Amino acid sequence: MLMFVVRRLGLMILTALALTFIVFFLTNLRPNLEKLARTEGSVRMSEEAVDQWIIQNGHGGSVFVRYGEWMGLMPGWVLTDEKGTVRGRCITATNTPETAPRYCGVLQGDWGFSTFFKKPVLDSLGEKLAATGWLMLAVMLVMVPASLLIGVLSGMREGSRTDRALSTFSIASTATPEYVSGVILVALLASPVVGLSPLLASWGWIEGKTLFLGTATSAIDDITFWNFTLPVMTIALYGIGYIARMTRASMTEVMTAQYIRTARLKGVSFGAVVVKHALRNALIAPFTVIMLQFPWLLNGVVIVETLFNYKGFGWTLVQAAGNNDINLLLGCSVVAVFVVLVTQLISDVGYVFLNPRIRLS
Amino acid sequence: MTTSADTAWDPSKPILEIDHLSISFFTRLREIPAVMDFSCKVMAGEAMGLVGESGCGKSTVALAVMRDLGKNGRIVGGTIKFKGRDLTHMGEEELRHIRGSEIAMIYQEPMASLNPAMKIGAQLAEVPMIHQGMSRADAWALARQIVADVRLPDPDRIINAYPHQLSGGQQQRIVIAMALMSKPALLILDEPTTALDVTVEAGIVDLVKDLGKKYGTSMLFISHNLGLVMDVCNRICVMYSGEAVETGAVTEVFEEMRHPYTQALFRSIPLPGADKNARPLISIPGNFPLPHERPKGCNFGPRCDYFQSGRCDAGEIPMFPVPNSDRHETRCAKWQEIDWLAEPAKRAVKQKAPIGKVVLKMEDLKKYYSVSSGAFGGGLKKVVKANETLSFEAREGETLAIVGESGCGKSTFAKVLMGLETATSGSILLFDENVQSTPIQQRNTDTVSSVQMVFQNPFDTLNPSMTVGRQIIRALEIFKHGSSDEDRNRRMLELLDLVKLPRAFADRMPRQLSGGQKQRVGIARAFAGGAKVVVADEPVSALDVSVQAAVTDLLMDIQRENRTTLLFISHDLSIVRYLSDRVMVMYLGHVVEMGTTDQVFQPPYHPYTEALLSAVPIADTKVIRKRIVLEGDIPSAMNPPPGCPFQTRCRWKSQVPGGLCDREMPPVQVLEGGHNIKCHLSTEILQTMEPVIKMAAE
């Protein structure tokens, strides 16, 4: 067990290094840096001045060295400009060239300064990640039970009417992209002029003008049923269909297994056959899929957070990309890589506990 | 409700009474009748054997009794009465009370029949908790007791184990225990030992018989193995193509069969006394009819020697009672005219092929694997000694049988010979060429085409998307046979002739062929390059008995013609005795005995061979067999016992002085005639051994 985890961790670190390097390389391409120079310096800078700025701000030289500096594996750059002031990667407003540390990178906890938020990347990322964490938690709480229930119900009697109805629903929901279902949900439930809300309001069933709020901006400070339902539903709907299909496939297979016949011919009632004998075996396959949903959610929230203006991780990613905020983009990618790898590790370990036959090697 | 029925039921009446039962499966295309007009009675304490080839409907009858025919199956006529109550009209709820409590079932594949994610104890305890409303603690206590009852060691550990932690034999004992949890009145056993080794089978059969006696349970025992049925059952019902063709007391049916199919079945199985040259087996000509292609009248008609047109194919044939017998009935229109004692006419006596020079020689061959233990891949590296010091030679035109139970290393040996694995040490001389460390990729075409294999399962070894002819031509291409496509095509057709398949089969897809026909294609492919040494790994064990005889005879014929060396790997000792010249018995990677067929099948035996011989059920009432049931399972090859590998199960161990068996690997004793036995027993003791199989005085 320990050996396995250690090996996996080693592999994870290697993967993380490779992935972050690719992102670093792509965000630090020459055109990006020129754009950065013009936004940070002045729009009217000459070509030479741009070159000068790039070198002066430590973006010159080999990409490997710069990656090392960013990672904190190599000493940060120190340069003296034409005015004689010493500037460097690790020299900030709070310290002097003498007191500045030699290394300052991701490993030292210095993730750079976000040009968009005007504060350190780590601070802004932390708070956005927390916001997205709440969203993901809510989605998981809705999505996993609902999809497993649908999958098991449709899989336990293959070809029955229940199966066909639920399968139609899950195929439809997973075939609808989030930007479509989000818009439909908003139109249907969160508009004071169309959909259900005006009807309900005229009947006096709801107090405000709309059933749910079409924007989740206020949920950053206070999550309520009113402002949080729509973004959660939009993400969950897609995932529900997907996981339900997986669960159904796995359940139908288990229901034809011989040990299910054994249980049936032992006189076990149908309900008990499903709950006691089939369920655990049927959940083995969807478990991996559910764990795969975490990284997917982290990226899937991009659309929904933008759509509902919920200032979380996805929204931040969009802003960072749109505003050429290299440090912020890099920070986001580090977080994403980390989440993907950790959930995969958890999924593999969890698999062993769910399935007594499995041996990992 | 069930209790009132219990008290009302009179024990002198049959427990199970099936009357004119017909079952059909419904597909979109048509109705496929699976069982027609089937009747049988099982009295209290009686064991009824249901015998027949695959597809004859015996399992369908069993499932119909359980009323578990699936979505497509339906009972279209007749009744099934259990203790006087008609099961065919029972509701789901009522059935649920009977299933598992009054009728229990034991299945063919124990591993698949146990829930992999539930502890053994929980699976057992469930039965009384459902049917008797027993408390959890009581039910677990009962489970523990029943586990001990089915003679499993260490029941406390076992009830807390998961199915995959047990061996196949132990799993089957658990399935039996599960069936016994609520002391059912009727036990249905569907090929309960087919997936198990013979020595394990013997233990299970003993257990079933004892438990039947102890609890007075009636049994419906489904098997294709006539010997096994004779061991277990009092009554037998032979089925063919959805119908019962003969039924009666076991001894009566075995000694005075009154149906041509039963007779043909007995003539096609290798009983002691059969011999591949002097008294070859007689296979049943033709093929099993598909359910929707059954002939009019007698289903067996087209394959029957006594067929008379206008009479046998005139119309439905009823069951005729045989007078002066114990409920003996036959479904044959001509049963009174046939001379049942006449010897079969067309027994073709064949010439024994001369045995030539040595073509294959193995010396001190060893094959070790290293595996890791531990759930997550780490843990200690362990060495599995799959083959230990294997030495033998095989000659041209000779059949050498390699016998042993699963895990004894016989398949590993075949892999090393074929070049799929390379030997750890030792040498293999093939036509005076060392091949022990040449993997198959590096062998030249000649070597590859001269050593070929016939595989166990013909269903998986043919490419499902290639025609039969194409597959054989492909082999010819690989063996660089012939110069043009026409050449190869001609050779392919010759090969089809060789394996006695019609030439039209060249254009067929494998799925259109029956099991026996597929195996013939497999044989044709193996002989495509003029193989000199053919390794046949259980070539007939997946086939039905009537087909087995035809396929073995085919192998023998080709061998006689081509003077091929046949290495016949098998666990079926009856067939080994029938066709092999020499026998090598393996146990845990060691060759424990080797000699000519007569030497191995006659005393003195190696203690393991003795047990193996006694474990094989023989379908002959005249044979008296000594019962030696081996205790326990085969030790793991990862963790073999010290000293003699067989010492943990040997019944002769006490005859060896000084605990030699525990400490030292026995030497190979060479007895007269080059008969090798790897045992510590002294020659004197070996000489006192009695034969396991004796013919009763006539």
Side-chain angles (χ1 to χ4, degrees):
Chain A
M1 173 84 192
L2 202 68
M3 265 309 289
F4 169 76
V5 174
V6 167
R7 255 209 322 256
R8 278 301 293 261
L9 281 174
L11 210 65
M12 268 170 63
I13 291 169
L14 270 179
T15 320
L17 282 177
L19 283 174
T20 48
F21 177 75
I22 293 170
V23 180
F24 185 87
F25 177 74
L26 290 175
T27 49
N28 281 278
L29 285 173
R30 181 78 188 176
N32 287 341
L33 295 175
E34 282 175 14
K35 217 161 106 194
L36 183 71
R38 287 181 207 277
T39 44
E40 292 292 295
S42 106
V43 188
R44 285 169 219 286
M45 275 205 291
S46 65
E47 289 292 319
E48 293 77 40
V50 168
D51 287 350
Q52 191 65 25
W53 187 92
I54 287 173
I55 293 166
Q56 281 296 321
N57 284 280
H59 297 302
S62 148
V63 69
F64 297 104
V65 174
R66 281 183 283 141
Y67 175 73
E69 289 173 0
W70 172 74
M71 212 49 201
L73 297 168
M74 283 184 171
W77 53 272
V78 181
L79 286 169
T80 319
D81 64 6
E82 59 267 35
K83 288 173 206 141
T85 39
V86 181
R87 300 173 60 238
R89 185 185 163 80
C90 308
I91 302 164
T92 55
T94 51
N95 59 20
T96 62
E98 290 74 37
T99 58
R102 251 165 71 74
Y103 296 90
C104 56
V106 172
L107 295 179
Q108 284 77 28
D110 184 351
W111 293 37
F113 191 80
S114 162
T115 54
F116 175 71
F117 287 121
K118 308 281 183 234
K119 56 177 169 178
V121 168
L122 207 53
D123 297 354
S124 41
L125 258 189
E127 128 204 341
K128 301 297 172 202
L129 214 51
T132 294
W134 284 112
L135 184 60
M136 281 169 67
L137 180 71
V139 169
M140 281 294 178
L141 286 181
V142 174
M143 185 170 75
V144 173
S147 57
L148 291 183
L149 189 70
I150 293 175
V152 167
L153 282 179
S154 58
M156 68 188 194
R157 285 190 213 263
E158 193 185 3
S160 67
R161 210 165 289 169
T162 331
D163 177 25
R164 274 182 241 161
L166 290 173
S167 291
T168 311
F169 166 75
S170 43
I171 292 170
S173 80
T174 196
T176 317
E178 286 149 335
Y179 48 86
V180 176
S181 55
V183 171
I184 293 176
L185 284 176
V186 168
L188 205 62
L189 302 170
S191 158
V193 277
V194 291
L196 285 177
S197 304
L199 259 178
L200 293 174
S202 69
W203 292 342
W205 286 17
I206 49 173
E207 276 176 28
K209 276 193 176 145
T210 58
L211 183 60
F212 296 113
L213 193 60
T215 153
T217 320
S218 55
I220 291 288
D221 307 314
D222 178 27
I223 293 172
T224 63
F225 192 61
W226 188 53
N227 62 23
F228 218 45
T229 305
L230 287 189
V232 169
M233 283 309 293
T234 309
I235 305 179
L237 261 184
Y238 179 82
I240 284 175
Y242 185 64
I243 303 177
R245 292 299 292 167
M246 292 290 170
T247 316
R248 178 189 175 274
S250 157
M251 187 73 187
T252 49
E253 200 191 310
V254 168
M255 285 307 282
T256 57
Q258 287 198 21
Y259 55 83
I260 296 297
R261 185 184 69 181
T262 309
R264 207 166 52 226
L265 298 188
K266 260 198 269 185
V268 182
S269 65
F270 186 75
V273 167
V274 171
V275 175
K276 279 183 72 182
H277 291 267
L279 208 56
R280 184 170 164 190
N281 290 298
L283 287 186
I284 292 168
F287 179 73
T288 327
V289 181
I290 291 169
M291 290 315 284
L292 271 173
Q293 295 296 307
F294 279 102
W296 170 78
L297 272 180
L298 203 60
N299 300 310
V301 290
V302 169
I303 290 166
V304 171
E305 288 187 0
T306 312
L307 190 66
F308 290 94
N309 199 25
Y310 182 73
K311 295 195 172 64
F313 182 78
W315 179 84
T316 310
L317 196 65
V318 174
Q319 300 306 326
N323 294 294
N324 199 34
D325 190 341
I326 295 176
N327 282 333
L328 192 57
L329 259 182
L330 283 171
C332 288
S333 70
V334 171
V335 170
V337 165
F338 186 73
V339 170
V340 172
L341 295 178
V342 168
T343 47
Q344 284 319 291
L345 180 70
I346 296 174
S347 135
D348 286 353
V349 173
Y351 209 74
V352 179
F353 290 103
L354 210 54
N355 186 349
R357 280 168 300 177
I358 270 302
R359 286 283 175 276
L360 291 177
S361 51
Chain B
M1 178 197 67
T2 44
T3 42
S4 67
D6 267 346
T7 45
W9 176 72
D10 170 9
S12 66
K13 294 223 175 81
I15 288 255
L16 181 74
E17 192 173 9
I18 303 176
D19 200 26
H20 299 290
L21 179 73
S22 295
I23 302 162
S24 287
F25 287 94
F26 291 87
T27 65
R28 273 169 205 229
L29 283 177
R30 59 180 150 241
E31 173 187 346
I32 297 171
V35 174
M36 286 138 345
D37 188 28
F38 178 88
S39 305
C40 89
K41 264 185 215 154
V42 184
M43 307 298 280
E46 214 172 53
M48 169 68 116
L50 220 50
V51 182
E53 295 173 85
S54 54
C56 72
K58 52 193 195 303
S59 295
T60 312
V61 169
L63 288 175
V65 174
M66 286 306 238
R67 281 284 309 281
D68 192 63
L69 288 166
K71 259 182 283 182
N72 304 323
R74 209 180 312 149
I75 294 171
V76 291
T79 55
I80 305 170
K81 283 202 182 110
F82 173 71
K83 290 189 178 174
R85 287 174 290 161
D86 189 357
L87 290 172
T88 52
H89 292 99
M90 246 180 217
E92 270 303 310
E93 197 50 33
E94 233 177 315
L95 279 172
R96 209 165 64 68
H97 287 296
I98 290 188
R99 288 175 182 164
S101 80
E102 293 193 66
I103 309 179
M105 192 152 171
I106 293 166
Y107 313 86
Q108 180 164 4
E109 282 167 61
M111 180 70 204
S113 311
L114 293 171
N115 191 335
M118 260 170 102
K119 283 187 178 169
I120 298 288
Q123 299 192 44
L124 290 174
E126 202 176 31
V127 180
M129 280 161 76
I130 296 168
H131 294 295
Q132 279 114 46
M134 203 180 265
S135 75
R136 209 184 123 77
D138 287 352
W140 274 72
L142 181 66
R144 197 203 159 281
Q145 187 204 325
I146 301 266
V147 166
D149 255 17
V150 293
R151 299 180 214 147
L152 277 169
D154 201 357
D156 292 306
R157 182 184 64 85
I158 288 200
I159 55 169
N160 280 309
Y162 285 102
H164 70 275
Q165 292 164 327
L166 308 180
S167 71
Q170 290 177 328
Q171 284 170 357
Q172 194 59 297
R173 280 169 198 261
I174 292 298
V175 176
I176 292 172
M178 194 148 73
L180 294 172
M181 282 300 283
S182 61
K183 314 261 185 301
L186 176 68
L187 201 56
I188 301 175
L189 302 100
D190 188 357
E191 306 257 5
T193 57
T194 308
L196 305 174
D197 276 317
V198 268
T199 56
V200 181
E201 174 182 88
I204 297 277
V205 166
D206 268 12
L207 173 71
V208 166
K209 279 200 308 202
D210 287 359
L211 293 173
K213 255 181 236 141
K214 185 169 162 191
Y215 297 118
T217 316
S218 305
M219 281 187 264
L220 192 60
F221 188 92
I222 298 169
S223 181
H224 66 276
N225 187 334
L226 289 166
L228 209 55
V229 168
M230 197 186 90
D231 260 8
V232 179
C233 303
N234 328 97
R235 299 190 63 78
I236 184 173
C237 175
V238 183
M239 286 186 78
Y240 181 77
S241 192
E243 289 178 329
V245 292
E246 184 166 5
T247 174
V250 165
T251 44
E252 251 169 31
V253 173
F254 275 50
E255 282 166 9
E256 294 163 36
M257 56 205 76
R258 287 294 174 265
H259 193 280
Y261 175 65
T262 320
Q263 189 185 41
L265 211 54
F266 274 97
R267 284 180 181 170
S268 68
I269 56 173
L271 295 172
D275 180 277
K276 65 175 167 177
N277 297 312
R279 283 181 54 127
L281 301 179
I282 303 168
S283 56
I284 306 177
N287 276 312
F288 204 74
L290 291 172
H292 54 275
E293 290 170 356
R294 289 192 182 116
K296 195 165 181 280
C298 177
N299 284 339
F300 189 59
R303 301 173 76 183
C304 182
D305 291 340
Y306 310 103
F307 180 74
Q308 188 182 3
S309 75
R311 197 161 151 211
C312 295
D313 54 3
E316 284 296 299
I317 295 162
M319 286 294 253
F320 298 103
V322 176
N324 307 326
S325 67
D326 177 17
R327 290 173 285 151
H328 188 172
E329 291 175 29
T330 171
R331 196 186 288 274
C332 178
K334 295 178 67 186
W335 73 271
Q336 277 166 309
E337 294 143 51
I338 296 171
D339 178 9
W340 295 102
L341 296 171
E343 275 291 302
K346 49 176 188 181
R347 237 193 248 274
V349 175
K350 284 163 183 162
Q351 276 306 308
K352 188 170 161 38
I355 285 165
K357 61 181 193 320
V358 175
V359 289
L360 174 72
K361 190 171 179 168
M362 291 214 178
E363 253 168 45
D364 283 340
L365 183 85
K366 280 184 188 158
K367 176 68 191 170
Y368 294 172
Y369 291 101
S370 93
V371 292
S372 62
S373 54
F376 288 89
L380 287 168
K381 288 268 182 254
K382 280 191 172 171
V383 175
V384 177
K385 297 178 177 175
N387 284 155
E388 275 270 41
T389 54
L390 220 61
S391 311
F392 70 92
E393 34 182 65
R395 292 164 180 274
E396 192 182 57
E398 183 185 47
T399 307
L400 174 66
I402 299 160
V403 181
E405 294 173 276
S406 50
C408 73
K410 52 193 197 301
S411 295
T412 306
F413 145 78
K415 278 185 195 157
V416 174
L417 175 61
M418 297 298 296
L420 298 170
E421 305 266 1
T422 50
T424 309
S425 73
S427 70
I428 306 176
L429 272 164
L430 191 67
F431 314 112
D432 302 325
E433 189 189 345
N434 269 306
V435 294
Q436 69 274 12
S437 44
T438 326
I440 194 150
Q441 297 88 342
Q442 287 163 26
R443 291 189 179 181
N444 58 34
T445 319
D446 261 3
T447 319
V448 174
S449 63
S450 62
V451 187
Q452 277 297 306
M453 195 155 174
V454 177
F455 299 94
Q456 174 169 18
N457 194 339
F459 303 90
D460 295 341
T461 42
L462 295 182
N463 186 338
S465 55
M466 239 191 228
T467 62
V468 166
R470 185 75 208 118
Q471 309 211 15
I472 298 176
I473 290 179
R474 189 81 199 103
L476 290 170
E477 281 169 10
I478 292 168
F479 298 151
K480 302 202 174 73
H481 189 284
S483 46
S484 64
D485 282 354
E486 291 82 67
D487 240 20
R488 285 191 277 267
N489 206 34
R490 202 167 47 243
R491 174 77 184 136
M492 181 268 288
L493 292 173
E494 283 170 21
L495 281 166
L496 285 182
D497 293 345
L498 178 75
V499 295
K500 294 177 184 127
L501 283 176
R503 288 190 168 200
F505 272 43
D507 298 322
R508 296 235 184 140
M509 289 310 235
R511 62 168 183 277
Q512 294 168 294
L513 271 53
S514 70
Q517 289 166 343
K518 279 186 199 163
Q519 195 58 296
R520 283 165 194 264
V521 176
I523 293 171
R525 192 169 58 174
F527 281 92
K532 288 283 164 226
V533 178
V534 169
V535 181
D537 188 359
E538 311 248 6
V540 295
S541 66
L543 305 175
D544 275 317
V545 270
S546 72
V547 185
Q548 276 186 7
V551 173
T552 34
D553 268 359
L554 174 73
L555 271 174
M556 294 292 101
D557 284 348
I558 298 178
Q559 181 187 33
R560 251 178 231 118
E561 235 163 83
N562 300 5
R563 303 185 41 74
T564 318
T565 306
L566 193 62
L567 296 182
F568 191 87
I569 299 178
S570 183
H571 68 273
D572 183 349
L573 284 164
S574 336
I575 209 140
V576 163
R577 177 212 286 263
Y578 169 67
L579 59 72
S580 57
D581 301 309
R582 282 197 301 143
V583 180
M584 185 165 110
V585 184
M586 286 183 73
Y587 187 79
L588 273 186
H590 293 265
V591 177
V592 293
E593 182 167 3
M594 184 160 65
T596 64
T597 308
D598 286 343
Q599 286 168 345
V600 172
F601 281 81
Q602 299 297 331
Y605 306 107
H606 184 277
Y608 175 62
T609 316
E610 184 192 30
L612 210 54
L613 281 174
S614 93
V616 182
I618 296 168
D620 191 337
T621 46
K622 293 188 284 295
V623 167
I624 298 168
R625 189 155 52 101
K626 200 155 72 178
R627 288 296 272 175
I628 302 160
V629 173
L630 290 183
E631 293 302 322
D633 282 320
I634 302 182
S636 155
M638 236 186 284
N639 200 358
C644 173
F646 189 58
Q647 51 122 327
T648 51
R649 300 165 82 192
C650 185
R651 70 183 191 116
W652 293 87
K653 197 176 158 187
S654 55
Q655 309 273 345
V656 177
L660 214 54
C661 298
D662 292 322
R663 291 194 317 268
E664 269 175 55
M665 178 63 69
V668 176
Q669 301 187 38
V670 181
L671 307 177
E672 54 182 317
H675 182 195
N676 290 351
I677 291 182
K678 201 176 204 172
C679 189
H680 283 303
L681 285 174
S682 64
T683 328
E684 294 79 60
I685 294 172
L686 282 174
Q687 293 305 342
T688 61
M689 279 189 177
E690 285 172 11
V692 174
I693 300 163
K694 269 189 281 194
M695 287 293 195
E698 297 264 333

